[in-house]
């Protein structure tokens, strides 16, 4: 089971793709906030992502709107 965790920011986002059962980080990156939707769309097409965890910090509402295409669970956390 893979999840994506996002630390949203106005100009850039931190993103981690992790395999929960193996307790392994598969990928960690920082990218421009404007690219997050395309990046996750691409990642979702090649990985079986079960949920997204989104920090509720700067620009989290804007990032959440960009993720409306994701049909599985999106959790917002402190």
């Amino acid at each position: 089971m893979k999840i994506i965790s996002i630390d949203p920011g106005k100009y850039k986002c931190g993103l981690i793709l992790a395999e929960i059962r193996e307790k392994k980080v598969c990928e960690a990156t920082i990218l421009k906030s404007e690219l997050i939707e395309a990046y996750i769309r691409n990642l979702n097409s090649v990985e079986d992502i079960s949920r997204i965890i989104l920090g509720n910090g700067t620009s989290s509402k804007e990032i959440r709107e960009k993720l409306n295409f994701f049909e599985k669970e999106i959790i917002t956390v402190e």
Side-chain angles (χ1 to χ4, degrees):
M1 173 171 47
K2 291 187 179 176
I3 64 162
I4 293 176
S5 180
I6 303 170
D7 180 15
K10 187 172 183 177
Y11 302 106
K12 60 185 177 180
C13 294
L15 182 142
I16 292 176
L17 173 65
E19 170 58 61
I20 297 302
R21 291 185 184 129
E22 296 177 18
K23 298 179 183 176
K24 174 182 166 186
V25 172
C26 303
E27 183 176 334
T29 190
I30 297 173
L31 46 121
K32 291 180 180 181
S33 297
E34 63 200 40
L35 302 176
I36 194 83
E37 179 182 356
Y39 191 85
I40 292 178
R41 280 185 185 273
N42 183 54
L43 201 55
N44 193 44
S45 71
V46 295
E47 299 284 355
D48 183 22
I49 299 167
S50 62
R51 72 180 49 116
I52 295 175
I53 299 171
L54 178 64
N56 72 344
T58 308
S59 300
S60 65
K61 290 179 184 177
E62 291 85 355
I63 298 297
R64 178 76 181 229
E65 289 174 8
K66 291 180 180 185
L67 300 177
N68 282 337
F69 70 91
F70 189 75
E71 296 176 351
K72 298 178 185 172
E73 185 176 26
I74 300 175
I75 302 167
T76 303
V77 297
E78 287 287 325

